DNA sequence: CTTATATTGAAAATGCATTCTCAATAGCAA
DNA sequence: TTGCTATTGAGAATGCATTTTCAATATAAG
């Protein structure tokens, strides 16, 4: 049966405290801050399980490797910061249906804003 | 000096007749329809040059390999068809600035619609 | 505490898109 | 046409994210 392990708990904890989408290497370095010696393979194994149990969902940002975020079950988009390379959740949406070409069926959409996050702008 | 070759001409021709973003394998198979024996390495070499001379621009669709499209110098977005996997250009835009989080600086944005294209829906 | 086995770390292996190597070929200037 | 060399095709090599392997370790049931 499935066991509760320190490494998986730490990985979940990292998502809860960062409150933003993370990629495998970000997860690794944040989690290694708590548990030195954690391996990347374990991060990947944990991600896979957490996505399967729908605790995490995948975030695909064009040109970047996969990011993952806690599954909050609400529609939102993302902001990518060119300076620190972090991805943030962005609430709200805009009426993109208007863009759908005639005869096409719109099933989903993705909006990725890019620029500088507030930490990089100010602080 | 730079030489005009059959393979490069054909690759440009393929973009002009398809009128949609193409990825390296699509370019290869379309171009091989005209010149059997064209190699993938040549497709990559041509893409690289055409992007350098700004005849082509890169299109990054989340989760997919790179696509390329003729540089029309106008702002637009993309539609990805789940059925045939083709990417299409979509004209127009929507006011995404409204989504920018407080304190963040918006520099660019990307909108990717997905669903079924008209060929897959009807005919 | 003991035991069965799920999980881990480390490194090797995989899958893939892309680039490089190199001998053969083909533009193009003379 | 000739000769120089940019370009090509084919396959090997690279770079990368991700997965697998396997012996060592740790969880949790009894």
């Amino acid at each position: 049966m499935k066991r509760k392990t320190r490494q998986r708990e730490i990985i979940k904890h990292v998502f809860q405290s960062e409150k933003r989408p993370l990629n495998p290497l970000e997860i690794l370095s944040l989690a290694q801050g708590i548990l030195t010696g954690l391996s990347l393979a374990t991060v990947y194994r944990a991600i896979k399980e957490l996505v399967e149990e729908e605790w995490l969902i995948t975030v695909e940002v064009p040109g970047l490797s996969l990011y993952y975020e806690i599954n909050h079950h609400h529609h939102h988009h993302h902001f990518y910061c060119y300076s620190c390379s972090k991805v943030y959740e962005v609430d709200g949406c805009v009426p993109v249906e208007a863009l759908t070409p005639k005869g096409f069926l719109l099933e989903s959409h993705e909006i990725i804003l890019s620029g500088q996050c507030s930490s990089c702008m100010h602080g």
Side-chain angles (χ1 to χ4, degrees), chain A:
Chain A
M1 87 304 318
K2 178 150 189 200
R3 292 174 184 175
K4 170 177 283 200
T5 69
R6 194 147 135 62
Q7 10 291 87
R8 271 200 284 261
E9 292 306 299
I10 289 172
I11 288 168
K12 290 173 76 168
H13 171 78
V14 158
F15 275 102
Q16 286 164 332
S17 55
E18 283 301 308
K19 300 181 196 311
R20 61 182 172 89
L22 301 172
N23 66 30
L25 290 179
E26 287 177 330
I27 299 167
L28 180 69
S29 82
L30 288 165
Q32 280 182 334
I34 302 173
L35 178 62
T36 317
L38 176 72
S39 92
L40 184 55
T42 297
V43 169
Y44 275 105
R45 283 186 281 239
I47 288 171
K48 194 175 203 176
E49 290 174 3
L50 293 170
V51 168
E52 274 165 10
E53 56 193 59
E54 298 180 66
W55 191 88
L56 282 181
I57 57 174
T58 297
V59 178
E60 291 173 341
V61 182
L64 305 181
S65 68
L66 288 179
Y67 279 70
Y68 299 89
E69 69 185 11
I70 295 177
N71 186 1
H72 290 306
H73 301 283
H74 68 81
H75 183 69
H76 63 277
H77 293 294
H78 298 92
F79 187 105
Y80 172 69
C81 177
Y82 289 136
S83 299
C84 64
S85 301
K86 286 179 184 161
V87 174
Y88 297 89
E89 270 195 43
V90 165
D91 283 319
C93 196
V94 288
V96 296
E97 312 75 40
L99 299 175
T100 315
K102 209 178 298 300
F104 282 47
L105 171 66
L106 180 65
E107 295 178 359
S108 65
H109 67 276
E110 196 60 55
I111 298 177
I112 299 97
L113 307 181
S114 320
Q116 295 197 54
C117 70
S118 73
S119 312
C120 291
M121 281 294 284
H122 320 103

